[in-house]
Amino acid sequence: MKQTLLAVAMLFILGSCASKKKMLSAQKQANEIQIQLDKARADLNDCDSRTAGLNNDLKAKNDELTSKNAKLKELEEQVEFLKKNNNNLLDRMSDLSVISKEGSESIKKSLAMMDAQGMQIRDLNSSIQKKDSLNMALVLNLKRSLADVSDEDVQIEVKKGVVYVSLSDKMLFKSGSSVINTQAETVLSKVAKILNDYKEIEILIEGHTDNVPIATDKVSDNWDLSVLRATSVARTLQKKYGVEPVRMIAGGRGEYLPKVANDSAPNRSLNRRTEIIITPKLDQFFNLYTPNAGK
């Protein structure tokens, strides 16, 4: 009898231990699931925030494009109005015997010149619209491609009618070096893909430093370092990612064009950067200002 009771007690104890283990295992799984859920929610919130930012950028550019279209339409209506009035005036003046043949020819030439100027205005406005649309597409594509990169490492904006991609010094280089970090090549590959998608743009690469003096056996000063870093980025874009070198200009600004005052460590960090400045082909764009350009 005692042996039977002992056996029953042992079975109860073993069953209790097994249940406890199952409960602990279940609790552990629940904790892991909760951690994964929290991370997924955080990723979703971050994605929503970035999407909202892109949508705001798109709305602003669309509003700007709508405004420019309205201005263009107004200019075209003014040109059309002037043409009609001038044609009517010419018809009336041709009936007057007091107008000499030379005067009539002069008026016709003036009207032809006004027509040519009206065409130039339309071409110029069309070119400006194309450039603004190109900038908007570039910004949206770059932000979408670099959405997983920290805003501290990459900043994209439009200034003075061109697109600026500002890459932080800490992401690209070690202190005092012009050799590109391996982890930065992923960012450059994404930028290069966008640059290769738009063959009609030119690329200016500018190196910038803070004002802390530097002098080594390879680098004379901050200006020297900024140039070396710009050419290092240009060579990487060319040799690793196929960006045509004829489209690129590499130069250095040294410490002489800071974003903010070099009066603190965080500010100096902001000033240490390499900027990829994306512009339309200016020779084609400014030809529109010159009558008969390219003929």
Side-chain angles (χ1 to χ4, degrees):
M1 182 66 177
K2 289 182 178 180
Q3 291 178 348
T4 300
L5 292 174
L6 181 60
V8 170
M10 290 296 294
L11 288 173
F12 179 78
I13 292 170
L14 290 174
S16 175
C17 291
S19 298
K20 186 174 182 181
K21 288 181 179 179
K22 289 181 180 179
M23 183 177 66
L24 290 174
S25 177
Q27 183 63 44
K28 182 178 179 182
Q29 290 179 353
N31 290 340
E32 291 175 349
I33 291 172
Q34 184 62 45
I35 291 172
Q36 293 175 356
L37 181 60
D38 292 341
K39 184 177 182 302
R41 286 173 176 168
D43 291 342
L44 180 60
N45 290 337
D46 184 62
C47 182
D48 288 343
S49 176
R50 291 179 183 273
T51 300
L54 288 173
N55 287 335
N56 289 337
D57 290 342
L58 180 59
K59 184 179 182 302
K61 291 299 179 181
N62 282 334
D63 291 343
E64 183 179 347
L65 189 58
T66 300
S67 175
K68 289 183 181 295
N69 283 333
K71 291 180 180 178
L72 175 60
K73 184 178 180 182
E74 182 180 352
L75 284 172
E76 289 176 341
E77 290 174 351
Q78 291 177 3
V79 170
E80 191 62 27
F81 176 79
L82 289 172
K83 284 174 61 178
K84 289 181 179 178
N85 282 352
N86 286 326
N87 286 333
N88 291 336
L89 180 61
L90 183 59
D91 290 339
R92 291 177 183 178
M93 294 179 71
S94 64
D95 294 334
L96 300 177
S97 59
V98 294
I99 299 178
S100 65
K101 181 178 179 181
E102 291 79 6
S104 179
E105 289 298 322
S106 176
I107 292 173
K108 287 181 179 179
K109 289 180 180 179
S110 296
L111 290 176
M113 186 177 296
M114 289 182 66
D115 284 342
Q117 289 175 343
M119 182 68 72
Q120 283 184 311
I121 291 173
R122 287 193 292 273
D123 288 344
L124 182 58
N125 275 280
S126 176
S127 181
I128 291 172
Q129 285 186 341
K130 288 179 181 178
K131 182 173 72 70
D132 290 342
S133 297
L134 173 62
N135 285 345
M136 181 173 68
L138 280 169
V139 168
L140 291 177
N141 286 336
L142 285 165
K143 286 189 175 181
R144 188 180 297 113
S145 179
L146 299 170
D148 58 340
V149 182
S150 168
D151 291 341
E152 294 181 357
D153 291 331
V154 178
Q155 294 182 353
I156 303 166
E157 58 184 333
V158 177
K159 295 189 298 185
K160 301 177 182 178
V162 297
V163 178
Y164 281 70
V165 181
S166 183
L167 308 175
S168 71
D169 167 85
K170 67 177 183 178
M171 178 190 69
L172 286 174
F173 308 103
K174 293 181 180 179
S175 178
S177 171
S178 61
V179 178
I180 294 177
N181 294 325
T182 303
Q183 61 268 28
E185 293 183 357
T186 301
V187 173
L188 291 179
S189 70
K190 293 179 178 180
V191 174
K193 184 180 184 306
I194 303 298
L195 297 178
N196 286 330
D197 286 342
Y198 293 88
K199 301 294 185 182
E200 68 274 27
I201 57 177
E202 294 182 336
I203 306 142
L204 171 61
I205 303 169
E206 285 187 351
H208 298 263
T209 67
D210 58 24
N211 64 344
V212 177
I214 183 173
T216 68
D217 55 342
K218 295 182 179 180
V219 178
S220 302
D221 53 24
N222 279 323
W223 211 338
D224 191 14
L225 178 61
S226 68
V227 173
L228 290 173
R229 286 179 168 178
T231 54
S232 182
V233 171
R235 288 193 187 99
T236 299
L237 292 175
Q238 175 200 358
K239 295 181 178 180
K240 288 199 172 186
Y241 306 115
V243 180
E244 296 177 349
V246 70
R247 298 168 58 199
M248 293 190 286
I249 300 172
R253 294 275 196 171
E255 64 197 69
Y256 303 109
L257 193 65
K259 294 179 72 173
V260 292
N262 282 296
D263 53 7
S264 67
N267 281 1
R268 286 191 291 272
S269 178
L270 287 175
N271 290 331
R272 296 191 300 270
R273 68 201 188 277
T274 299
E275 293 183 337
I276 300 176
I277 304 169
I278 306 170
T279 67
K281 290 188 176 180
L282 297 180
D283 55 343
Q284 297 177 6
F285 179 72
F286 285 111
N287 275 345
L288 294 172
Y289 286 100
T290 306
N292 300 319
K295 294 184 180 179

